[in-house]
Amino acid sequence: MNSADIRSSFLDFFTERGHRLFPSAPLVPHGDPTLLFTNAGMVPFKNAFLGLETPEDRRAVSAQRVLRVSGKHNDLENVGPSPRHHTFFEMLGNFSFGDYFKEDAIRFAWELVTKVWGLPPARLFATVFEQDDEAEALWRGLSTLPAERIIRCGAKDNFWAMGETGPCGPCSEIFVDLEPQRPEVSFEQGSDSGRYLEIWNLVFMQYQREEGGALAPLPNPSIDTGAGLERTSSVLQGVSSNYDTDLFRPILEAAATLAGIRYGMRAANGKWANSESDTSLRVIADHLRAVSFLLADGVIPGNEGRGYVLRRILRRAVRHGMRIGFEEPFLHRLVPVLGEVLGHAYPELGATRMASVAAIQAEEEKFLSTVASGARQVQEEVERLRSQGKTTLPGAMVFRLYDTYGLPIEVIREIAEEERFGVDEEGFRHALEGQREQSRKATKEVQNRLLALREELRGHADMPETRFEGWDATTLEGAGVARLAAFRDGDPLRVSELKAGESGVAVLDQTVFYAEGGGEVGDTGWILWDGGKAHVTDTRKDNSGIFFHFIDVERGTLSRHQKVDLKVDFDRRQAIESNHTATHLLHAALRQVVGQSARQAGSLVAPDRLRFDFTYHRGLLEPEVQRVEDLVNEWIRRAVPTDFRFRSYQEAVAAGAMALFGEKYGDTVRTVEVQGLSTELCGGCHVNNSGEIGLFLIESERGIASGVRRIEAVTGAGALAAVRAQRIAYDGLIETLGIKSADPAQQRERAGQLKTRMAELENEVKKLRLQLVSGGGKSGPAAADDETIDVLGVKVLAREVPHAPADDLRAMADALRAKLGSGVVILGARGDGNVSLIAAVTKDLVERVKAGELVKKLSGVIGGRGGGRPDFAQAGGKQPENLPAALAAAGDAVREQLGG
Ligand code: ATP
Ligand code: MG
């Protein structure tokens, strides 16, 4: 069986048994700020397990892409050495939301493993939690496993929990003997050595863990299972490592060929040798998958959060590439091979391929040059420290190299090791933690605020979702105030009323205020009641669907359980709707102009502008930008009606809806259709007819990261205002320059003439200034000589000159110095509130008189400071009124230096 067959056999087996098939959700979990990446098949169903959502079907099946590189599941360091751990892998899972429980879960698993996959029962083991008699009895009754192959294990491996509190329960894992021909060993020995391999984990969600640790039985126990596709494939394909399956072999071979080496050299005894180069090749193959899928799911390499993880994985692959001899970017060249292996199962890989290749290549280049220059820096530091008799790199310095130059700590360690130098790991960690803590605080603030709000407001009673009525309306009468909160020292506090002058948060039973989401900003407006009024300054919602209205009470008192009227700021909402629909049209136009590979990576819909980020491997050309702008405006002029509908996700996609990054595969979705032009899954606010947008203007198109572009645009009244502002600015300019003409070409020509004329004049002025100070207009050096004084046989010329740019002052000093032949020139020029001073000394005198010293001394007089070379120096000061005194002191200053 190839891996594609194994994947579909699992999905088919469970769909035949009444499970609804869900496509893999992206690696970036939707609406879950607590989790960096989808790390298990159950993640997209978390709300169903938590009881926050009631799914339409109570049985589900999926092949979910997952990433285990952070938090609770972090297998990063294992990747390479381990034949069965990956960062990125596919988890096959069946789920029951309060439907079937242990019995069916075990029955299904046993049937699939032994009948469909045909694994002989003699090769299998099942583990159960040590206190789970029920599971053990079920295995005995439902399988043909002998009693000694049903193993009881402790909580470490066989008790699963969603978090500190929440759903949890015992697990049961299925193990396969990889070497059945050899004599059996104890389960412990076999599983530790890797001979007995875990392929499938069945989690029985049975309890709810309360604060304090007490376990309460769940009313509707659930099932969550996960089988790794890679491990299962290795077993069913009879190979000794996941990397020898059809999922990895083509990638490993392509990488080896590029590097000019071979994967899987056999050692003398005929066994697979685990050579260092094999380890590096495995890391590269694994990380290629992780990096490509992260990019396909819209993550952009960066310095924090998900982008930082992506960058780290990519860099780890490059470092291993360097170990096997790559000196040039190589990883991006493997992307097409991955496409051949997984492209059929994951069309998103193909859609983003060009952008991914560009992004990976750019990152590789950047990193290789960082390493080259960073390594040099480490080397220098090592030499410096060694000369001081030291043998360790201090933590703060390591952190600086790591943080400012982006040099990976591993590279620093490697160099230090080669130089027999230590690294102050403790100090480094300390510095790192300090910085992480800071960024954590900053990024979590908003979500934390909402979480804290919900905690505070929810109390003990349940708080229902807020009903949103704002898609077709901007006013609503008779909404009920469900909860109120005020902020005390930044923390939310439940209150029963908010008085005039107070600020806080209101939760209503229904609302017309849109809460920030899907790129669209939250609504503002007013809450009105008899004798009272509150200004809504923002609207947010948390991931359980409760809307928070941030309000300032302006008049009267707002109390809980009161009935209120709602009024969204209509003009602002209208502008937002116009921008939102325009964003959809822009997306459609873009795909028409540059192709399907331009993929949305994020958007912002505000009242005054819209922003659309997309992945594409190059910048748009001017005609392409114009074509996109033209298309959108054409569609606006066509005045096409928009259509909103709720339907099942499957139906929506079948109808051509563009499923976007981060959308959730929930039961019912809302589609927004601009008839015949664009269909998207979207929960946002839109105009009823494209004609309402009026006008669409692209303000800019630029790159914001490698492989990611950003378009900013304005619409409707905003676009008109932008055009008008431009026109006013333009007219003003023409007026000021005095180049008005009915013919624009003539205007440009006149402006050009003005510019040339100005340059000529500037040159002229410069020449005149020089002549003025150096007396070049007369014949001979007489002009300078008039003011030259003699100081112990040295000619000193100190003079004030008219204000001029620094360059000109230097040129004057130069000219005068040349004129003197031998001597010292000191020039001062007063500007507006400042003064500059320049000293120049002829070559023959620099041993005796230092320009730098002179300037240092004289700059004190003008309230400034300065310095420079022995033959030339300058200073600036803030006391122009003292310039004459400074110039008068010049002679004495020279005398002092001459020792007089
Ligand atoms: P292990 O103890 O072997 O690391 P686990 O207990 O962490 O595995 P689970 O969280 O139970 O694994 O995940 C369910 C299944 O996913 C496992 O039975 C295995 O088939 C697969 N799996 C888990 N981690 C990895 C990984 N890093 N790479 C590949 N497959 C994995
Ligand atoms: Mg496990």
Side-chain angles (χ1 to χ4, degrees):
M1 269 180 142
N2 64 32
S3 50
D5 296 336
I6 296 168
R7 191 189 294 111
S8 56
S9 66
F10 187 98
L11 300 176
D12 291 347
F13 180 87
F14 285 101
T15 39
E16 281 158 18
R17 282 157 186 77
H19 292 63
R20 174 145 153 200
L21 174 64
F22 282 81
S24 172
L27 288 175
V28 177
H30 176 94
D32 186 348
T34 62
L35 193 63
L36 218 44
F37 299 108
T38 304
N39 58 7
M42 56 79 63
V43 169
F45 306 111
K46 208 165 152 184
N47 280 351
F49 285 121
L50 284 169
L52 291 172
E53 260 170 35
T54 320
E56 244 168 59
D57 293 88
R58 288 162 68 196
R59 297 181 178 201
V61 62
S62 68
Q64 173 62 48
R65 52 181 182 274
V66 302
L67 192 69
R68 293 195 161 180
V69 291
S70 57
K72 175 169 144 193
H73 293 294
N74 189 345
D75 288 334
L76 184 65
E77 298 299 321
N78 254 333
V79 171
S82 164
R84 52 191 111 268
H85 283 96
H86 310 296
T87 55
F88 170 89
F89 63 98
E90 291 176 78
M91 208 186 267
L92 306 168
N94 56 295
F95 308 93
S96 152
F97 312 114
D99 188 35
Y100 63 82
F101 197 45
K102 282 183 205 180
E103 181 176 342
D104 280 328
I106 292 174
R107 193 201 316 275
F108 289 150
W110 181 255
E111 191 186 337
L112 178 64
V113 170
T114 57
K115 300 272 159 44
V116 181
W117 289 347
L119 284 171
R123 288 183 64 185
L124 301 174
F125 296 83
T127 64
V128 296
F129 178 49
E130 55 197 2
Q131 292 162 25
D132 195 357
D133 300 335
E134 188 190 359
E136 178 173 340
L138 286 168
W139 275 113
R140 285 191 188 211
L142 296 168
S143 77
T144 58
L145 286 178
E148 69 275 11
R149 280 178 167 254
I150 303 168
I151 320 273
R152 288 182 175 239
C153 294
K156 188 179 146 292
D157 284 322
N158 284 58
F159 198 90
W160 177 91
M162 200 181 277
E164 296 290 313
T165 59
C168 58
C171 327
S172 179
E173 298 181 330
I174 298 174
F175 281 73
V176 184
D177 184 356
L178 297 179
E179 296 170 283
Q181 68 285 1
R182 290 177 51 204
E184 223 167 280
V185 294
S186 74
F187 179 75
E188 203 175 21
Q189 207 183 333
S191 54
D192 280 352
S193 70
R195 173 176 157 185
Y196 300 161
L197 171 68
E198 177 201 329
I199 57 165
W200 197 350
N201 187 0
L202 316 178
V203 179
F204 310 132
M205 256 181 244
Q206 190 166 357
Y207 306 109
Q208 165 85 13
R209 185 154 27 214
E210 307 291 349
E211 210 120 4
L215 294 182
L218 280 174
N220 300 308
S222 293
I223 291 293
D224 150 32
T225 84
L229 174 66
E230 297 73 12
R231 287 191 196 177
T232 307
S233 299
S234 78
V235 169
L236 297 184
Q237 292 172 13
V239 293
S240 58
S241 134
N242 295 1
Y243 291 93
D244 290 307
T245 64
D246 60 336
L247 287 165
F248 282 94
R249 245 0 253 225
I251 305 173
L252 287 164
E253 263 145 33
T257 307
L258 275 185
I261 58 175
R262 276 187 52 201
Y263 177 71
M265 303 287 280
R266 265 177 208 282
N269 61 8
K271 287 205 164 183
W272 289 109
N274 200 5
S275 72
E276 276 184 18
S277 67
D278 280 359
T279 304
S280 289
L281 284 169
R282 282 194 293 268
V283 170
I284 290 167
D286 176 277
H287 290 8
L288 171 73
R289 296 177 8 132
V291 163
S292 302
F293 274 96
L294 282 170
L295 287 166
D297 282 341
V299 179
I300 297 164
N303 284 327
E304 51 184 38
R306 300 190 174 104
Y308 181 62
V309 174
L310 166 55
R311 179 167 279 169
R312 261 181 50 210
I313 299 176
L314 192 150
R315 291 180 165 192
R316 190 162 183 261
V318 175
R319 273 194 295 112
H320 279 273
M322 288 158 67
R323 281 193 201 162
I324 57 172
F326 284 115
E327 287 170 0
E328 300 282 315
F330 64 94
L331 197 63
H332 67 282
R333 296 172 63 189
L334 298 170
V335 171
V337 189
L338 176 63
E340 278 162 34
V341 178
L342 282 180
H344 59 89
Y346 295 97
E348 46 272 76
L349 268 188
T352 54
R353 205 182 79 193
M354 294 237 267
S356 296
V357 169
I360 294 175
Q361 185 176 2
E363 275 289 307
E364 285 189 274
E365 275 163 8
K366 194 153 64 183
F367 180 60
L368 287 170
S369 77
T370 301
V371 169
S373 72
R376 235 176 291 126
Q377 296 232 17
V378 179
Q379 211 82 43
E380 277 168 23
E381 291 291 351
V382 164
E383 268 147 40
R384 195 175 58 80
L385 289 165
R386 187 175 278 143
S387 72
Q388 298 170 3
K390 303 217 173 92
T391 56
T392 346
L393 294 170
M397 193 194 84
V398 174
F399 180 72
R400 186 171 51 79
L401 288 166
Y402 165 88
D403 188 51
T404 345
Y405 299 100
L407 195 60
I409 178 74
E410 296 83 1
V411 173
I412 303 176
R413 278 197 200 111
E414 262 166 38
I415 299 173
E417 212 166 282
E418 279 163 22
E419 297 286 336
R420 299 184 187 288
F421 245 62
V423 170
D424 171 13
E425 301 277 351
E426 180 78 18
F428 170 70
R429 251 195 313 277
H430 192 74
L432 189 64
E433 259 318 301
Q435 186 219 36
R436 292 236 168 108
E437 193 51 41
Q438 266 185 331
S439 71
R440 244 197 307 269
K441 266 191 203 139
T443 51
K444 278 215 163 158
E445 211 155 271
V446 175
Q447 272 304 331
N448 274 347
R449 229 170 130 207
L450 295 187
L451 281 179
L453 256 174
R454 177 166 61 164
E455 284 306 305
E456 176 64 22
L457 287 178
R458 192 181 271 270
H460 293 290
D462 218 23
M463 190 163 50
E465 268 184 41
T466 311
R467 205 162 53 184
F468 182 62
E469 303 283 355
W471 281 311
D472 313 309
T474 53
T475 58
L476 188 140
E477 285 176 16
V481 179
R483 298 275 197 283
L484 289 173
F487 287 101
R488 299 272 180 275
D489 299 329
D491 293 325
L493 185 76
R494 237 170 125 161
V495 294
S496 53
E497 54 176 43
L498 285 170
K499 295 196 185 65
E502 290 183 325
S503 299
V505 174
V507 173
L508 312 170
D509 58 353
Q510 47 181 321
T511 189
V512 281
F513 286 90
Y514 182 81
E516 181 180 294
E520 183 179 323
V521 299
D523 274 332
T524 64
W526 298 271
I527 295 180
L528 305 160
W529 63 97
D530 231 0
K533 180 179 177 189
H535 184 209
V536 178
T537 55
D538 195 7
T539 313
R540 301 288 182 106
K541 70 174 178 217
D542 71 357
N543 50 23
S544 63
I546 294 166
F547 285 50
F548 301 107
H549 304 81
F550 288 81
I551 55 172
D552 298 333
V553 179
E554 293 175 346
R555 190 153 33 86
T557 299
L558 182 61
S559 332
R560 227 184 126 191
H561 303 312
Q562 191 167 344
K563 290 284 176 217
V564 292
D565 296 340
L566 311 179
K567 199 163 170 281
V568 170
D569 181 336
F570 181 75
D571 292 342
R572 183 172 178 276
R573 164 69 91 79
Q574 213 175 27
I576 292 172
E577 289 181 352
S578 164
N579 279 339
H580 203 156
T581 308
T583 307
H584 287 203
L585 293 180
L586 166 60
H587 189 191
L590 200 58
R591 286 165 79 104
Q592 227 178 75
V593 172
V594 300
Q596 303 299 307
S597 63
R599 213 158 156 270
Q600 177 160 9
S603 65
L604 172 76
V605 177
D608 57 335
R609 78 210 135 100
L610 68 91
R611 196 167 83 191
F612 186 81
D613 297 344
F614 60 104
T615 52
Y616 198 56
H617 58 284
R618 61 163 172 82
L620 298 193
L621 309 171
E622 187 51 38
E624 288 171 331
V625 175
Q626 277 176 18
R627 179 85 194 106
V628 168
E629 207 175 53
D630 283 347
L631 263 178
V632 173
N633 282 301
E634 202 178 303
W635 295 339
I636 291 170
R637 286 193 302 272
R638 233 190 264 165
V640 185
T642 46
D643 184 27
F644 314 102
R645 236 185 293 176
F646 285 95
R647 44 187 162 188
S648 81
Y649 179 77
Q650 276 81 352
E651 270 169 23
V653 172
M658 275 194 251
L660 296 181
F661 156 65
E663 284 298 344
K664 195 165 78 170
Y665 303 94
D667 292 316
T668 319
V669 294
R670 179 173 184 260
T671 54
V672 174
E673 187 178 351
V674 188
Q675 279 168 23
L677 299 172
S678 140
T679 305
E680 288 193 21
L681 303 185
C682 177
C685 300
H686 290 268
V687 296
N688 290 312
N689 184 300
S690 69
E692 292 173 43
I693 300 169
L695 177 61
F696 169 85
L697 291 178
I698 293 181
E699 301 245 280
S700 69
E701 191 277 343
R702 65 199 164 93
I704 52 165
S706 41
V708 190
R709 316 287 311 170
R710 169 170 292 174
I711 287 180
E712 285 179 293
V714 288
T715 70
L720 184 62
V723 173
R724 187 169 295 145
Q726 261 174 26
R727 200 172 56 203
I728 291 170
Y730 181 77
D731 288 349
L733 208 69
I734 300 296
E735 181 90 36
T736 313
L737 293 178
I739 53 173
K740 206 170 170 99
S741 160
D743 177 10
Q746 201 169 33
Q747 268 172 185
R748 186 153 349 117
E749 201 187 307
R750 285 189 192 163
Q753 287 165 354
L754 275 181
K755 209 170 150 199
T756 317
R757 184 76 194 117
M758 196 140 86
E760 284 169 6
L761 288 174
E762 264 169 16
N763 246 333
E764 196 95 335
V765 170
K766 201 179 241 170
K767 265 192 240 149
L768 287 173
R769 272 205 197 104
L770 258 178
Q771 280 178 13
L772 202 67
V773 291
S774 63
K778 304 181 192 169
S779 57
D785 280 354
D786 290 348
E787 302 157 63
T788 308
I789 57 169
D790 186 295
V791 179
L792 302 178
V794 170
K795 280 187 271 183
V796 176
L797 169 64
R799 176 198 277 184
E800 178 170 356
V801 293
H803 179 66
D807 269 351
D808 290 6
L809 284 179
R810 274 193 291 273
M812 290 178 200
D814 248 352
L816 284 172
R817 179 170 61 177
K819 199 148 245 174
L820 282 182
S822 168
V824 177
V825 176
I826 296 166
L827 299 183
R830 287 190 256 196
D832 193 13
N834 59 53
V835 47
S836 30
L837 204 63
I838 277 191
V841 178
T842 51
K843 276 268 165 347
D844 59 315
L845 291 173
V846 290
E847 289 301 318
R848 301 170 60 203
V849 184
K850 307 267 184 261
E853 295 295 316
L854 276 179
V855 152
K856 225 181 261 172
K857 180 142 185 98
L858 298 177
S859 60
V861 184
I862 54 167
R865 57 169 66 196
R869 306 192 311 254
D871 64 329
F872 201 91
Q874 62 195 86
K878 292 266 170 258
Q879 297 163 3
E881 66 279 10
N882 292 341
L883 179 63
L887 292 175
D892 285 342
V894 175
R895 187 185 322 267
E896 200 177 303
Q897 283 203 36
L898 291 170

